[in-house]
């Protein structure tokens, strides 16, 4: 009787559920590491709140021009403290991460400057900003020159990078911390630190920019702690703690943040305007919760990696590997399995569980993409979500989860949907 109840409530086979319990026993060491990082980052955030004397007054909303918004100014000071930077721009007027990143690029680069990516192709949506994909307003169309250096076996191609830095004298070097939708590994901050030091030894004045999407609070440090001059990310990913409904951030050197603020708003307006419309509280509370939410997402990623590996799929990273972002990729090797897995995630989502996702041509992406995103905040990938471009070898990119429990159950349901009858 008891057994039957358990099967009924989780909606997956008993064999699969039992397997999950055994797997969790093997993950204790990894989970402890995650807890330790979470504790550290929570303290970091708490200290910044205390230092900046966060108070109910900061939850007040501004409308119209949004002059003198005390909450907004305090949020930006807190971000500055957390990232250890001279300045910060944290705004709901950024429509997504791409917008924050592209604003940072336009702020730093002028005609004739060289932009050099040293982690291969940037995230898909940035290709149009740069002009790798045709767009008449791209950086390349505005006279910026672009150089790209591929990764070498998931590490920086140091020799090539240093050679090309000397040759092209780049104004800005772009580093993608997270793999995004590519098969490469994500680059952890110890490697980023090393390459930044070597580059700055060759050319001290180069601006180092890091795409920090999916990276916040995964390690104890951030790219700005290891020499990055400007970084950007999305508030509907890690740092919004699942509470932010929109927005993005840029942190870094004052000079670049000021320019970025004038690209976001208008020359002469900069940081002074931008109504917060009652969103300050969610930005603050989301930030407060973010280290914990990120830890939940990481535990789900590690669980997913381990169970799918044991079921015979190739996964990256493996459960025991060091992580620098919340993404878990799994090679499913078949379109049918991929679609079933993604549909299984959707079925186990809190919102739109009755909807079955199909592949579609998403703006900014070059292949058809299938996505499961039954999220409270539309498209928020700090909540459990899974994306997959429909192309060989049929890789699912899985990320997020606001609680370990809901994430684990959803992964089991997705596996059950994919392998129905087999386990
Ligand atoms: C999510 C993400 C972005 C920005 O994407 P948006 O969907 O515009 O927020 C950029 N780079 C990476 C690596 C990302 O994961």
């Amino acid at each position: 009787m008891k057994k039957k109840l358990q099967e009924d409530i989780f909606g997956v086979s008993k064999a699969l559920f039992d397997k999950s319990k055994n797997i969790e026993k093997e993950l204790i060491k990894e989970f402890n590491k995650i807890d330790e990082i979470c504790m550290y980052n929570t303290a970091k955030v708490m200290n910044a709140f205390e230092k900046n004397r966060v108070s109910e007054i900061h939850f007040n909303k501004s409308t119209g021009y949004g002059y003198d918004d005390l909450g907004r100014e305090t949020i930006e000071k807190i971000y500055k403290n957390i990232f250890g930077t001279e300045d910060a721009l944290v705004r709901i007027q950024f429509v997504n991460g791409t917008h924050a990143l592209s604003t940072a690029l336009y702020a730093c680069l002028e005609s004739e400057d060289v932009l050099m990516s040293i982690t291969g192709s940037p995230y898909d949506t940035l290709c149009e900003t740069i002009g790798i994909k045709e767009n008449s307003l791209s950086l390349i169309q505005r006279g910026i020159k672009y150089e790209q250096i591929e990764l070498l076996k998931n590490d920086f191609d140091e020799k090539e990078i240093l050679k090309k830095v000397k040759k092209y004298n780049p104004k800005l070097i772009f580093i993608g911390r997270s793999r995004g939708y590519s098969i490469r590994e994500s680059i952890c901050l110890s490697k980023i630190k090393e390459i930044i030091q070597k580059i700055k030894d060759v050319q001290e004045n180069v601006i180092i920019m890091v795409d920090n999407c999916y990276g916040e609070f995964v390690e104890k440090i951030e790219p700005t702690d290891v020499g990055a001059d400007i970084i950007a990310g999305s508030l509907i990913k890690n740092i919004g703690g699942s509470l932010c409904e929109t927005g993005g951030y840029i942190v870094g050197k004052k000079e670049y943040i000021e320019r970025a603020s004038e690209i976001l708003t208008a020359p002469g307006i900069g940081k002074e305007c931008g109504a917060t419309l009652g969103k300050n509280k969610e930005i603050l509370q989301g930030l407060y919760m973010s280290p914990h939410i990120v830890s939940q997402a990481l535990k789900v990623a590690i669980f997913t990696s381990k169970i799918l590996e044991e079921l015979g799929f190739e996964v990256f990273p493996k459960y025991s590997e060091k992580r620098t972002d919340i993404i878990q990729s799994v090679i499913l090797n078949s379109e049918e399995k991929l679609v079933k897995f993604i549909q299984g995630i959707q079925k186990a989502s809190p919102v739109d569980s009755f909807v079955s996702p199909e592949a579609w041509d998403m703006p900014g992406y070059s292949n058809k993409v299938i996505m499961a995103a039954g999220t409270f905040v539309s498209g928020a990938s700090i909540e459990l979500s899974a994306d997959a471009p429909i192309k060989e070898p049929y890789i699912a990119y899985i990320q997020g989860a606001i609680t370990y429990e809901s994430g684990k159950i959803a992964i089991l349901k997705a596996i059950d949907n994919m392998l129905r009858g087999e386990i």
Side-chain angles (χ1 to χ4, degrees), residues 131-195:
I132 303 165
K133 205 173 150 202
E134 193 71 17
N135 185 303
S136 61
L137 293 170
S138 72
L139 291 166
I140 289 175
Q141 284 296 318
R142 303 222 158 169
I144 284 131
K145 300 191 175 74
Y146 178 66
E147 287 291 325
Q148 179 173 311
I149 300 166
E150 300 306 316
L151 286 167
L152 204 93
K153 285 199 225 104
N154 298 320
D155 203 346
F156 291 109
D157 187 349
E158 189 186 309
K159 240 174 90 188
E160 188 71 7
I161 291 169
L162 297 180
K163 194 176 97 189
K164 290 212 164 145
V165 167
K166 281 182 199 141
K167 181 170 172 200
Y168 293 107
N169 193 24
K171 174 80 176 295
L172 186 145
I173 287 187
F174 181 90
I175 298 173
R177 177 179 177 183
S178 171
R179 66 167 61 82
Y181 276 172
S182 66
I183 205 158
R184 75 167 174 93
E185 291 297 318
S186 299
I187 308 285
C188 65
L189 291 174
S190 56
K191 283 183 188 166
I192 291 179
K193 178 181 182 176
E194 235 177 83
I195 199 76

Side-chain angles (χ1 to χ4, degrees), residues 267-422:
I269 305 293
K271 288 182 84 177
E272 302 302 315
C273 285
T276 52
L277 308 174
K279 294 292 187 191
N280 288 343
K281 180 166 166 262
E282 76 192 37
I283 295 177
L284 285 164
Q285 195 178 349
L287 173 61
Y288 196 75
M289 288 177 57
S290 173
H292 180 71
I293 300 286
V294 169
S295 79
Q296 300 296 286
L298 283 168
K299 286 181 182 178
V300 171
I302 288 167
F303 173 78
T304 305
S305 177
K306 179 76 171 157
I307 193 164
L308 282 164
E309 185 177 25
E310 294 217 346
L311 290 170
F313 296 98
E314 199 180 332
V315 296
F316 45 107
K318 291 191 191 296
Y319 76 97
S320 55
E321 274 176 278
K322 184 166 166 52
R323 285 166 194 260
T324 194
D325 66 20
I326 62 168
I327 302 182
Q328 180 61 46
S329 328
V330 185
I331 303 186
L332 294 172
N333 284 319
S334 118
E335 181 170 346
E336 195 200 335
K337 281 202 171 82
L338 179 73
V339 169
K340 280 266 181 336
F341 183 84
I342 304 275
Q343 287 176 343
I345 297 272
Q346 182 73 38
K347 252 198 215 176
S349 297
V351 181
D352 291 336
S353 58
F354 52 88
V355 166
S356 189
E358 302 284 337
W360 64 300
D361 288 304
M362 195 176 164
Y365 296 87
S366 39
N367 288 90
K368 269 194 191 294
V369 176
I370 182 164
M371 303 182 119
T375 51
F376 291 99
V377 173
S378 179
S381 43
I382 185 61
E383 300 181 51
L384 182 65
S385 48
D387 324 301
I390 302 288
K391 64 176 180 196
E392 285 184 343
Y394 302 106
I395 304 173
Y397 297 87
I398 303 145
Q399 65 274 317
I402 56 181
T403 68
Y404 171 69
E405 296 77 12
S406 60
K408 173 193 161 175
I409 294 167
I411 293 295
L412 290 179
K413 287 189 172 193
I415 291 171
D416 196 65
N417 197 52
M418 171 172 75
L419 301 176
R420 191 161 294 160
E422 285 175 44

Side-chain angles (χ1 to χ4, degrees), residues 29-252:
K29 209 173 107 200
E30 273 67 36
F31 283 10
N32 284 344
K33 271 189 238 160
I34 301 296
D35 287 339
E36 202 225 318
I37 294 170
C38 175
M39 192 65 80
Y40 182 92
N41 284 325
T42 299
K44 198 196 278 186
V45 171
M46 288 173 79
N47 292 344
F49 272 63
E50 190 186 339
K51 183 172 177 189
N52 290 286
R53 303 167 67 90
V54 173
S55 171
E56 205 168 347
I57 196 173
H58 299 130
F59 305 157
N60 287 349
K61 84 171 190 183
S62 63
T63 57
Y65 294 106
Y67 285 118
D68 301 322
D69 187 310
L70 207 59
R72 189 187 67 213
E73 288 166 9
T74 302
I75 287 166
E76 289 177 343
K77 281 187 197 147
I78 291 174
Y79 267 65
K80 219 170 79 167
N81 292 153
I82 287 171
F83 288 97
T85 53
E86 291 173 8
D87 208 352
L89 186 64
V90 185
R91 299 292 165 125
I92 59 168
Q93 282 78 16
F94 283 122
V95 301
N96 55 21
T98 306
H99 186 196
L101 287 156
S102 108
T103 302
L105 286 169
Y106 276 88
C108 294
L109 292 161
E110 287 168 8
S111 182
E112 301 298 315
D113 286 341
V114 173
L115 157 64
M116 186 179 281
S117 168
I118 60 169
T119 42
S121 177
Y123 191 69
D124 275 24
T125 58
L126 285 173
C127 289
E128 221 164 306
T129 299
I130 294 170
I132 303 165
K133 205 173 150 202
E134 193 71 17
N135 185 303
S136 61
L137 293 170
S138 72
L139 291 166
I140 289 175
Q141 284 296 318
R142 303 222 158 169
I144 284 131
K145 300 191 175 74
Y146 178 66
E147 287 291 325
Q148 179 173 311
I149 300 166
E150 300 306 316
L151 286 167
L152 204 93
K153 285 199 225 104
N154 298 320
D155 203 346
F156 291 109
D157 187 349
E158 189 186 309
K159 240 174 90 188
E160 188 71 7
I161 291 169
L162 297 180
K163 194 176 97 189
K164 290 212 164 145
V165 167
K166 281 182 199 141
K167 181 170 172 200
Y168 293 107
N169 193 24
K171 174 80 176 295
L172 186 145
I173 287 187
F174 181 90
I175 298 173
R177 177 179 177 183
S178 171
R179 66 167 61 82
Y181 276 172
S182 66
I183 205 158
R184 75 167 174 93
E185 291 297 318
S186 299
I187 308 285
C188 65
L189 291 174
S190 56
K191 283 183 188 166
I192 291 179
K193 178 181 182 176
E194 235 177 83
I195 199 76
I196 292 178
Q197 278 170 350
K198 286 181 178 151
I199 291 168
K200 291 213 165 169
D201 283 346
V202 175
Q203 197 201 356
E204 205 189 329
N205 294 327
V206 67
I207 304 169
I208 306 280
M209 174 171 161
V210 176
D211 174 352
N212 205 32
C213 283
Y214 287 136
E216 300 90 358
F217 299 135
V218 174
E219 300 192 42
K220 286 184 184 171
I221 50 172
E222 298 296 334
T224 42
D225 295 315
V226 297
D229 299 298
I230 183 166
I231 69 173
S234 165
L235 298 195
I236 65 165
K237 291 182 179 171
N238 302 19
I239 202 159
S242 82
L243 294 184
C244 287
E245 293 187 312
T246 189
Y249 76 90
I250 309 176
V251 294

